[in-house]
Amino acid sequence: MAKLWAELIGLFFLAPVAVMVWAKQLGSFLMPLLGAVGLLCLALLLADKQFKRIRLWHWEAWRQHINDALKLFIPWACLLALLVYLVKPEIFLHWPLNEPWMWVTTLLIYPLVSVIPQEIIFRTYFFHRYKRILPSRYARWALSTFVFGLAHLVYGNWIAVVISWIGGGIFGYRYMQSQSTPVVVIEHALWGSFVFTIGLGSYLVISTPA
């Protein structure tokens, strides 16, 4: 029990703070670091005989889960787009209109290099690994949501953290309902790509020294 708590605190609290402190120095190494942590968590899951590996690929009732995700996404995405347009018109659709190649490239690689590792770490791994110390799945949902936002302190602004808390709550809930990593990856990629498209991606970029 103590070892699991120590691991949770080290990996999900201390590590994000350390990354935040050295974010500018790490620079382009952040994505490889995320991928490495994702691979480590995946390896630990695969080595755990109690882990149901089918959660990494199964599609049971996927139509219903994707339909539910879209029912949530469509109205709230429209409202969010309107809010950005009214409050921050200077960033609205900045990438698609001014840097289309950067926008397209981001949409293509973002799900692979960012979404998949994050969902393995913060949903699949977190929900299974810490079941012994957090028996309530709602406790795991709440804490995974909190640490997901905490990890986004690396961007150095409160908007990134708030966006991530909201997203983490949505993705964690979907994982509890579907028990499927692919379903949550799709929902995360949908929201993330939309956020980058409407301009909020400007809050999810680390400024590096010249």
Side-chain angles (χ1 to χ4, degrees):
M1 291 286 190
K3 287 182 179 180
L4 284 177
W5 276 114
E7 177 192 297
L8 190 156
I9 293 169
L11 183 58
F12 292 96
F13 286 90
L14 299 182
V17 171
V19 171
M20 177 189 68
V21 172
W22 290 295
K24 291 185 178 181
Q25 287 73 24
L26 289 169
S28 59
F29 291 101
L30 283 173
M31 283 298 105
L33 180 61
L34 174 64
V37 175
L39 287 173
L40 174 62
C41 290
L42 179 61
L44 290 171
L45 285 172
L46 295 176
D48 187 342
K49 294 181 180 179
Q50 294 183 338
F51 174 64
K52 297 177 181 178
R53 296 185 179 188
I54 194 173
R55 291 180 180 175
L56 293 170
W57 61 74
H58 86 96
W59 285 89
E60 184 178 349
W62 68 272
R63 292 179 186 274
Q64 182 61 51
H65 294 306
I66 297 299
N67 185 55
D68 291 342
L70 289 173
K71 285 181 179 178
L72 179 69
F73 173 78
I74 292 172
W76 286 104
C78 291
L79 183 61
L80 183 59
L82 179 61
L83 183 64
V84 174
Y85 175 74
L86 294 175
V87 177
K88 298 285 289 184
E90 67 274 15
I91 69 170
F92 185 68
L93 298 179
H94 175 79
W95 273 14
L97 295 177
N98 298 287
E99 300 184 65
W101 286 111
M102 177 68 74
W103 174 61
V104 170
T105 302
T106 299
L107 296 193
L108 289 174
I109 67 173
Y110 167 71
L112 297 175
V113 303
S114 183
V115 174
I116 292 176
Q118 287 184 61
E119 288 310 316
I120 289 174
I121 297 166
F122 290 97
R123 253 62 66 177
T124 312
Y125 181 82
F126 194 99
F127 273 80
H128 173 75
R129 182 74 168 179
Y130 305 118
K131 188 174 182 178
R132 287 179 57 198
I133 57 176
L134 295 167
S136 167
R137 65 176 187 164
Y138 289 103
R140 277 173 279 148
W141 169 76
L143 190 54
S144 70
T145 298
F146 178 77
V147 298
F148 185 65
L150 186 69
H152 288 75
L153 281 171
V154 67
Y155 296 112
N157 66 84
W158 65 269
I159 293 178
V161 176
V162 171
I163 291 173
S164 301
W165 273 335
I166 296 170
I170 294 170
F171 310 144
Y173 177 79
R174 190 72 58 210
Y175 184 75
M176 287 196 300
Q177 298 301 309
S178 67
Q179 296 295 300
S180 169
T181 305
V183 165
V184 186
V185 165
I186 290 173
E187 185 170 29
H188 187 162
L190 177 65
W191 275 106
S193 298
F194 175 74
V195 163
F196 280 111
T197 298
I198 63 173
L200 290 177
S202 60
Y203 294 102
L204 299 169
V205 176
I206 298 170
S207 59
T208 55

